[in-house]
Amino acid sequence: MEADFQGVQLRHTDVAIVGGGLAGSLAAALLGRAGIDAVVIDPHPVYPPDFRCEKLDREQLRTLQLTGLADAVMSASTPDQECWVARFGRLVDKLPGMPQRGILYDTLVNTIRSKIPSNTEFIHAKVTDIATGPERQTVSSGSTRFL
């Protein structure tokens, strides 16, 4: 890092990922494994509990296999073995499960985050400004700018 004339810390990177949700964490894991200089900027060191879940079907699991992250996600998820159908508070049917898995969103994000390599820096901060220019883009977070 270096300081500019205003005393702001400058950090050069090839890729600045703003937000460490599912897309940002997955991008960081893949870019880091490819050796690309990337920085993730997110205010949460651990993705907070979130009342939502994800269903991973056969195609999504195949795609996840291509990333090399499927084993970690599979061990953190639950297989769908049976689906109960209820109407007006009464069970009306039980259907066989599909080849799919269920996982809480925050568990999914934190599982992917755990696979971000150490060469990818994770900055716990909130982005305050993004500026684009013909030669460089700048992402600002408090007293640090990422170029």
Side-chain angles (χ1 to χ4, degrees), residues 3-68:
D4 73 0
F5 66 92
Q6 298 169 334
V8 174
Q9 294 293 315
L10 298 178
R11 162 70 162 80
H12 296 271
T13 186
D14 291 331
V15 179
I17 301 167
V18 178
L22 181 57
S25 296
L26 187 57
L30 296 177
L31 290 169
R33 289 167 63 192
I36 296 171
D37 180 26
V39 173
V40 181
I41 308 161
D42 188 273
H44 305 288
V46 174
Y47 195 87
D50 195 349
F51 187 67
R52 59 181 160 159
C53 64
E54 295 292 325
K55 172 192 66 80
L56 303 171
D57 64 23
R58 187 178 309 175
E59 285 303 310
Q60 291 167 317
L61 291 170
R62 276 193 206 125
T63 301
L64 205 51
Q65 288 278 346
L66 297 173
T67 68

Side-chain angles (χ1 to χ4, degrees), residues 124-146:
H124 303 192
K126 187 171 177 95
V127 169
T128 56
D129 188 47
I130 298 174
T132 60
E135 302 207 13
R136 71 175 165 192
Q137 289 67 47
T138 306
V139 177
S140 299
S141 174
S143 63
T144 305
R145 286 192 188 145
F146 302 90

Side-chain angles (χ1 to χ4, degrees), residues 60-135:
Q60 291 167 317
L61 291 170
R62 276 193 206 125
T63 301
L64 205 51
Q65 288 278 346
L66 297 173
T67 68
L69 300 169
D71 289 343
V73 172
M74 293 286 278
S75 67
S77 64
T78 304
D80 177 5
Q81 297 173 342
E82 188 173 57
C83 180
W84 290 20
V85 179
R87 289 195 181 92
F88 303 109
R90 297 186 184 266
L91 181 65
V92 296
D93 203 0
K94 291 183 181 180
L95 304 172
M98 307 294 281
Q100 61 191 24
R101 303 191 64 91
I103 187 169
L104 291 172
Y105 183 77
D106 55 296
T107 303
L108 177 58
V109 172
N110 288 319
T111 299
I112 298 296
R113 280 186 177 189
S114 73
K115 299 302 177 185
I116 296 173
S118 59
N119 64 318
T120 301
E121 189 175 359
F122 200 108
I123 311 261
H124 303 192
K126 187 171 177 95
V127 169
T128 56
D129 188 47
I130 298 174
T132 60
E135 302 207 13

